[in-house]
């Protein structure tokens, strides 16, 4: 009775786990798609001549893993609900491979974090040393987008574009909340702070999510693999057994 109750608990937990894993797969797809769709991060890396394809490829890999995770969630639920050894074995094998891929994705993102930051910082320094009127059309578009989005003016200093400031530096026509938030200098009519810190924080946040999400999912997959293994072994007859240092132990015995 105790073994049967324990196996039913494992079965129920595995079904719940796979539902949560399915949601995590949806989350991976959403995160990867949102970073690719984040014009600020992608555009900033394009301007630095950083390997933008690396970031895009990492996000695409994250989306692919998310789609696979969604499919695995269905396989795991079916295997647990029907107690089918074939489906459970397939689930364990795919989860093992998937966890390795997730760790690699997270590792690639972490390994390139400082490289991306250094490239971006160098480009910010270069833009800051150039008059706004002398910037290329693409760089001007980036600057205007960043200043409007982050409510800032200039790259390293609010006086970067003096004396001819672009319209996106002006905050006097904005909402009253900007004045109340303390980001608008009512004396000059321009944003109070430069954009460099906010640009770097935006990049760090994107990379941290890219690295943290896959690694977190990898650890969770191991929990699912352990439960699936217990249920898989129980179908051989009786509770699953484990041999440790020559001694045999029965789970839930």
């Amino acid at each position: 009775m105790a073994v049967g109750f324990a196996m039913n608990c494992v079965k129920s937990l595995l079904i719940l786990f796979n539902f949560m894993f399915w949601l995590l797969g949806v989350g991976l797809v959403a995160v990867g798609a949102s970073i690719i769709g984040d014009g600020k991060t992608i555009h900033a890396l394009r301007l630095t001549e950083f390997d933008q394809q690396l970031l895009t490829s990492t996000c695409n890999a994250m989306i692919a893993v998310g789609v696979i995770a969604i499919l695995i969630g269905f396989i795991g639920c079916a295997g647990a609900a029907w107690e089918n050894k074939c489906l459970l074995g397939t689930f364990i094998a795919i989860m093992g491979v998937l966890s390795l891929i997730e760790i690699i994705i997270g590792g690639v993102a972490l390994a390139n974090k400082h490289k991306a930051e250094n490239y971006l910082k160098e480009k910010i320094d270069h833009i800051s040393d150039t008059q706004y009127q002398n910037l290329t059309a693409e760089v001007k578009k980036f600057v205007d987008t960043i200043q409007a989005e982050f409510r800032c003016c200039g790259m390293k200093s609010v006086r970067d574009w003096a004396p001819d400031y672009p319209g996106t530096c002006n905050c006097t026509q904005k909402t009253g909340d900007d004045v109340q938030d303390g980001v608008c200098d009512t004396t000059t009519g321009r944003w109070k702070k430069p954009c460099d810190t906010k640009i770097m924080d935006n990049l760090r946040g994107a990379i941290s999510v890219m690295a943290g999400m896959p690694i977190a999912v990898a650890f969770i997959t191991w929990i699912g693999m352990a439960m699936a293994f217990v249920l898989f072994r129980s179908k051989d007859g009786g509770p699953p057994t484990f041999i440790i240092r020559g001694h045999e132990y029965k789970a839930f015995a």
Side-chain angles (χ1 to χ4, degrees):
M1 290 293 292
V3 172
F5 175 76
M7 286 298 103
N8 285 332
C9 286
V10 171
K11 176 180 176 179
S12 299
L13 287 173
L14 187 57
I15 292 174
L16 177 62
F17 168 85
N18 278 285
F19 175 71
M20 298 300 295
F21 193 74
W22 181 86
L23 291 179
L24 282 172
V26 173
L28 281 174
V29 173
V31 169
S34 66
I35 293 176
I36 290 178
D38 183 3
K40 298 185 295 296
T41 300
I42 296 294
H43 196 71
L45 290 180
R46 184 186 299 122
L47 292 175
T48 64
E49 298 178 357
F50 179 74
D51 189 0
Q52 179 194 346
Q53 188 61 37
L54 178 62
L55 176 67
T56 304
S57 297
T58 303
C59 290
N60 287 335
M62 187 183 299
I63 293 173
V65 170
V67 172
I68 294 173
I70 292 172
L71 296 176
I72 290 176
F74 286 115
I75 294 176
C77 279
W82 299 335
E83 298 184 15
N84 185 293
K85 287 191 66 175
C86 180
L87 289 177
L88 288 172
T90 301
F91 172 79
I92 294 171
I94 296 177
M95 288 284 273
V97 174
L98 185 63
S99 65
L100 292 177
I101 295 175
E102 288 163 345
I103 291 175
I104 291 173
I105 292 174
V108 169
L110 283 177
N112 286 276
K113 180 179 180 181
H114 294 298
K115 183 179 179 181
E117 289 178 1
N118 290 335
Y119 273 125
L120 186 53
K121 186 177 183 302
E122 290 175 5
K123 194 62 180 183
I124 288 174
D125 291 342
H126 175 71
I127 295 175
S128 179
D129 294 335
T130 307
Q131 284 292 320
Y132 179 83
Q133 290 76 11
N134 297 330
L135 297 174
T136 65
E138 184 181 22
V139 176
K140 283 183 180 179
K141 181 179 178 181
F142 165 71
V143 169
D144 289 338
T145 300
I146 291 297
Q147 291 183 159
E149 181 73 20
F150 291 145
R151 300 190 298 178
C152 53
C153 179
M155 292 291 101
K156 296 177 63 179
S157 169
V158 292
R159 296 188 57 81
D160 279 345
W161 317 132
D164 299 320
Y165 293 91
T168 49
C169 274
N170 299 330
C171 58
T172 52
Q173 302 300 320
K174 306 299 180 181
T175 65
D177 292 339
D178 295 324
V179 177
Q180 295 176 8
D181 292 344
V183 296
C184 181
D185 188 337
T186 55
T187 302
T188 63
R190 294 186 292 272
W191 302 118
K192 280 186 176 182
K193 295 182 179 180
C195 302
D196 56 345
T197 300
K198 293 183 178 181
I199 294 173
M200 297 302 296
D201 288 345
N202 181 262
L203 177 65
R204 292 189 188 103
I207 295 178
S208 295
V209 171
M210 287 175 58
M213 188 75 170
I215 292 175
V217 173
F219 280 107
I220 294 173
T221 61
W222 295 339
I223 298 175
M225 289 172 62
M227 289 189 292
F229 178 75
V230 170
L231 192 59
F232 179 88
R233 289 294 302 271
S234 71
K235 302 312 295 178
D236 292 330
T241 58
F242 304 91
I243 299 177
I244 302 176
R245 294 184 178 180
H247 298 281
E248 184 178 276
Y249 299 90
K250 290 186 177 182
F252 312 116

